[in-house]
């Protein structure tokens, strides 16, 4: 008998996405938030409100509330676990890298700084779902800009890049 | 590790979100949707919300959704309803065409339509997934009035070339019925892109309730009702509507499609792991339709040097739920029509084993199945006097 092969990493990745969808992390209202962003994906009705508590250049805490498809909610949930406690620059870099991966950049997909978020690479093959996966990161970028005070205008609900 | 359920193509557990959505309609006073009072209107509103949600998910119009009592009923209403409609029109003998792989619901309802003047013909599909599809011209020349084809085969997971067939049927003006019971929630259906006249779906295969089904009946396709009474579901399924069932199947479809882009690749990986492990560990095993494009949740195996029908029982003794062909074939020692169509007489030399995965299947379950199944097969071979 030959030895039993191991499962491909991707099935564990997909399980991780479904796990975040079923049990979202950092979901709920944030006490003492300093920045709040509301974003919507008009094509499929996904909606999130992301709150950050920023002190200096650090994201001390963040939470989200939202409604929408499995992929949008799982992606926001996983994003919060990666950026929580980190620096604004790193959060911005992460959002850029994640967006590149979702747009099909193979270099970005190998970037270990994305951690578990690499699980979403498989979703990049489904163009209609890419926007769902990006929703939380669009909100994050907007929130970071506002925290830095470089972006004066409030986020327009429904606006997506 | 407890038991391992690998028979999700037979039926899959009810999703908890579905049970929660149905709960308000399973207790207390739920009005009859046909009643004019507030209880009736509330029930009507829940039923029509479920219909609209289902239509949006399937990308059809809400007046094209008929809620029926299961996949088999959906198929019967389509096949016999069309036969009765043609009969009433006075066409004399008509030809209905189907693939040779069809589920018994399609095969037997078409055979029963013989009493209504239907002559059944079949087209071939081989193990590589190549189908001998009729062209529009051939359909017309042969006098075909109705075609039925499954989207995903229940024993092998093979995906049949439904979009190609739909194009030919449409060009010939022949209505196509598609049994999408094993396809829904596993592969994209995109019904707005293919001219398919009728589609049958089953609720419990999606993690919804038993005895719920859908017939998608595209506008312009006429059927004669098979049952008569209060005219519900636009006359096709009379009887007081099952509001809880409609809410349940709509929610199950919603959840299945919402997670499909993640869930289908996950199951495909688990299936690939299971397949490679079992083929490697059990000498001579072949993968049914292994060279064809397949839906991710079904693994059909043929295992040589084994009595035909003992494997599911032996696996059950070790806590593993699986089946030989489709569940509807269980208990039968004959080769299933699907496997006979794909492999001819050669099929009788291989014991069929269908392992099917679903939303509760975990990597741990697959790992445990891989550890347990090969020694069970070996034991049966030894006790049957066959060593390999």
């Amino acid at each position: 008998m030959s030895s039993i092969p191991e499962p491909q990493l991707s099935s564990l990745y997909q399980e991780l996405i479904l796990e975040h969808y079923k049990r979202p992390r950092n979901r709920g209202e944030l006490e003492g938030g300093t920045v709040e962003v509301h974003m919507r994906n008009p094509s499929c009705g996904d909606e999130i409100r992301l709150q950050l508590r920023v002190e200096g250049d650090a994201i001390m805490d963040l939470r989200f509330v939202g409604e929408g498809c499995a992929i949008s909610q799982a992606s926001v949930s996983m994003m919060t676990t990666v950026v929580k406690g980190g620096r604004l620059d790193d959060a911005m870099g992460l959002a850029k890298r994640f967006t590149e991966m979702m747009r099909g950049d193979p270099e970005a997909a190998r970037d270990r700084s994305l951690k578990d978020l690499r699980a979403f690479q498989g979703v990049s093959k489904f163009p209609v779902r890419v926007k769902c996966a990006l929703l939380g990161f669009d909100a994050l970028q907007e929130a970071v800009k506002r925290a830095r005070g470089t972006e004066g205008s409030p986020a327009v609900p429904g606006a997506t890049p | 590790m407890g038991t391992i359920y690998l028979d999700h193509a037979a039926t899959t557990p009810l999703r908890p979100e579905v049970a929660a959505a149905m709960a308000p309609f399973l207790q207390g006073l739920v009005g009859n949707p046909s009643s004019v009072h507030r209880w009736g209107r509330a029930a009507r509103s829940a039923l029509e919300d479920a219909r609209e949600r289902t239509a949006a998910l399937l990308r059809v119009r809400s007046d094209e959704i008929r809620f029926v009592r299961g996949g088999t009923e959906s198929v019967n209403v389509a096949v016999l309803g069309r036969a009765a409609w043609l009969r009433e029109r006075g066409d004399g003998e008509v030809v209905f065409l189907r693939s040779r792989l069809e589920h018994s619901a399609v095969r037997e309802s078409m055979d029963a339509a013989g009493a209504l003047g239907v002559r059944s013909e079949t087209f071939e599909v081989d193990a590589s997934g190549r189908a001998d599809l009729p062209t529009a011209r051939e359909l017309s020349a042969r006098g075909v009035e109705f075609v039925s084809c499954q989207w995903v085969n229940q024993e092998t997971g093979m995906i049949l070339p439904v979009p190609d067939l739909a194009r030919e049927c449409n060009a010939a003006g022949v209505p196509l019925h598609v049994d999408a019971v094993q396809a829904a929630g596993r592969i994209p259906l995109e019904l707005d892109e293919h001219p398919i006249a009728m589609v049958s779906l089953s609720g419990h295969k999606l993690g919804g309730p038993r005895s719920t089904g859908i017939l998608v009946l595209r506008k312009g396709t006429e059927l004669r009702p098979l049952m008569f009474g209060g005219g519900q579901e636009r006359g096709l399924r009379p009887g007081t509507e099952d509001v809880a069932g409609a809410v349940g199947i709509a929610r199950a479809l919603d959840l299945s499609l919402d997670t499909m882009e993640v869930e289908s690749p996950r199951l495909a990986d688990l299936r690939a792991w299971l397949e490679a492990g079992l083929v490697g560990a059990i000498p001579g095993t072949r993968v049914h339709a292994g060279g064809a494009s397949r839906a991710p949740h079904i693994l059909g195996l043929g295992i040589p040097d084994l009595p035909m029908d003992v494997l599911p029982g032996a696996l059950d003794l070790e806590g593993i739920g699986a089946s030989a062909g489709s569940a509807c074939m269980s208990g039968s020692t004959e080769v299933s029509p699907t496997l006979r169509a794909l492999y001819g007489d050669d099929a009788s030399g291989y014991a069929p084993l269908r392992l099917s995965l679903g939303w509760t299947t975990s990597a741990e379950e697959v790992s445990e199945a891989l550890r347990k199944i090969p020694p069970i097969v070996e034991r049966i071979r030894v006790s049957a006097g066959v060593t390999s």
Side-chain angles (χ1 to χ4, degrees), chain B residues 146-167:
Chain B
F146 178 96
V147 179
S148 186
C149 183
Q150 58 185 195
W151 211 322
V152 167
N153 178 257
Q154 64 283 353
E155 289 173 59
T156 62
M158 180 196 283
I159 299 172
L160 279 83
V162 162
D164 294 344
L165 180 58
R167 215 172 33 246

Side-chain angles (χ1 to χ4, degrees), chain B residues 2 16 113 127 146 152 204 277 314 328 345 350 356 364-365:
Chain B
F146 178 96
V152 167
H204 76 108
C328 313
D345 291 339
Y350 292 80
S356 50
E364 290 74 30
E365 271 185 302

Side-chain angles (χ1 to χ4, degrees), chain A residues 7-26:
Chain A
Q8 291 174 33
L9 195 57
S10 46
S11 87
L12 302 176
Y13 269 164
Q14 312 296 358
E15 233 166 77
L16 197 61
I17 296 176
L18 295 168
E19 166 62 20
H20 272 269
Y21 163 57
K22 282 177 201 146
R23 295 197 306 115
R25 319 295 199 276
N26 299 308

Side-chain angles (χ1 to χ4, degrees), chain A residues 1-15 17-18 21-22 68-71 120 122-123 126 128-129, chain B residues 17 255 257-259 261-263 265-266 269-270 272-273 276-277 280-281 359 361-364 367 370-371 374-375 378:
Chain A
M1 278 193 202
S2 62
S3 64
I4 292 167
E6 289 300 304
Q8 291 174 33
L9 195 57
S10 46
S11 87
L12 302 176
Y13 269 164
Q14 312 296 358
E15 233 166 77
I17 296 176
L18 295 168
Y21 163 57
K22 282 177 201 146
C69 72
I71 287 166
F120 284 90
V123 177
F126 304 96
V128 291
R129 300 311 292 270
Chain B
E17 300 94 331
L255 291 164
L257 297 185
D258 188 23
T259 53
E261 286 88 351
V262 177
E263 183 67 356
R266 185 181 80 89
D269 284 337
L270 292 177
W273 183 29
W359 68 275
T361 305
S362 64
E364 290 74 30
S367 166
L370 280 170
R371 200 178 63 75
E378 194 53 33

Side-chain angles (χ1 to χ4, degrees), chain B residues 30-346:
Chain B
V30 178
N32 184 324
S34 299
S35 302
V36 296
H37 48 59
R38 64 197 65 197
W39 298 276
R41 291 198 307 273
R44 169 66 56 195
S45 155
L47 178 70
E48 296 311 321
D49 282 352
R51 195 186 310 279
E52 275 171 31
R53 186 82 197 116
T54 302
L57 290 165
L58 294 173
R59 305 198 204 163
V60 299
R61 295 162 40 134
S62 62
D63 61 2
E64 294 173 325
I65 299 292
R66 305 286 185 279
F67 289 118
V68 298
R69 310 297 198 269
T72 292
E73 185 175 296
S74 175
V75 167
N76 274 265
V77 168
V79 174
L80 288 163
R82 187 65 182 179
W85 183 82
L86 290 165
R87 174 82 161 186
E88 194 171 54
R89 212 179 58 171
D91 281 14
E93 189 185 74
V94 294
V95 176
F96 278 23
L97 183 68
R98 65 173 190 251
S99 88
R100 273 191 68 196
L101 307 188
E102 296 306 310
H103 186 271
S104 54
V106 169
R107 278 188 287 114
E108 296 189 11
S109 60
M110 252 191 208
D111 290 349
L116 296 164
V118 167
R119 186 157 54 84
S120 294
E121 294 184 1
T122 58
F123 63 88
E124 299 287 335
V125 182
D126 71 19
S128 71
R130 212 192 59 82
D132 183 22
L133 296 183
T135 62
R137 185 177 301 191
E138 285 161 3
L139 288 169
S140 303
R142 288 163 69 181
V144 174
E145 293 276 4
F146 178 96
V147 179
S148 186
C149 183
Q150 58 185 195
W151 211 322
V152 167
N153 178 257
Q154 64 283 353
E155 289 173 59
T156 62
M158 180 196 283
I159 299 172
L160 279 83
V162 162
D164 294 344
L165 180 58
R167 215 172 33 246
E168 297 302 322
C169 289
N170 190 49
V174 176
L176 171 65
H177 166 258
V178 172
D179 167 3
V181 165
Q182 294 292 355
R186 314 293 190 190
I187 63 169
L189 302 184
E190 288 158 357
L191 297 183
D192 54 341
E193 289 178 19
H194 310 298
I196 303 170
M198 287 159 269
V199 181
S200 292
L201 300 175
S202 161
H204 76 108
K205 309 276 195 200
L206 298 163
R210 284 303 148 78
S211 292
T212 61
I214 290 167
L215 175 64
V216 180
L217 182 64
R218 302 308 301 271
K219 211 170 155 54
T221 309
E222 295 191 67
L223 300 180
R224 188 173 194 276
L226 305 177
M227 285 169 280
F228 301 90
Q232 287 89 345
E233 297 300 310
R234 293 175 176 257
L236 276 188
R237 214 311 172 177
T240 302
E241 298 94 334
D242 176 4
V243 179
V247 168
I249 193 173
R251 189 80 183 103
L253 190 63
D254 196 352
L255 291 164
S256 302
L257 297 185
D258 188 23
T259 53
M260 188 169 71
E261 286 88 351
V262 177
E263 183 67 356
S264 284
R266 185 181 80 89
L267 297 184
D269 284 337
L270 292 177
R271 198 255 314 264
W273 183 29
L274 194 58
E275 180 175 315
L278 294 177
V279 168
I282 307 171
T285 300
R286 75 175 168 200
V287 178
H288 290 148
S293 149
R294 286 178 292 157
H297 64 307
I298 296 177
L299 174 60
L301 297 175
I303 305 178
D305 308 324
L306 209 61
M308 288 302 274
D309 54 348
V310 301
L311 204 42
L315 292 176
D316 178 49
L317 290 175
E318 301 277 340
I320 301 172
S323 59
S326 67
C328 313
M329 288 297 297
S330 300
S332 161
T333 53
E334 284 173 30
V335 172
S336 76
T338 288
L339 297 180
R340 184 159 298 285
L342 296 180
Y343 295 103
D345 291 339
D346 188 36

Side-chain angles (χ1 to χ4, degrees), chain A residues 93-113:
Chain A
L94 185 83
K96 286 211 177 72
R97 213 64 180 131
F98 184 81
T99 306
E100 285 163 9
M101 178 182 80
M102 295 310 293
R103 302 249 186 261
D105 179 349
E107 191 77 14
R110 284 194 292 272
D111 192 333
R112 289 180 179 275
S113 71

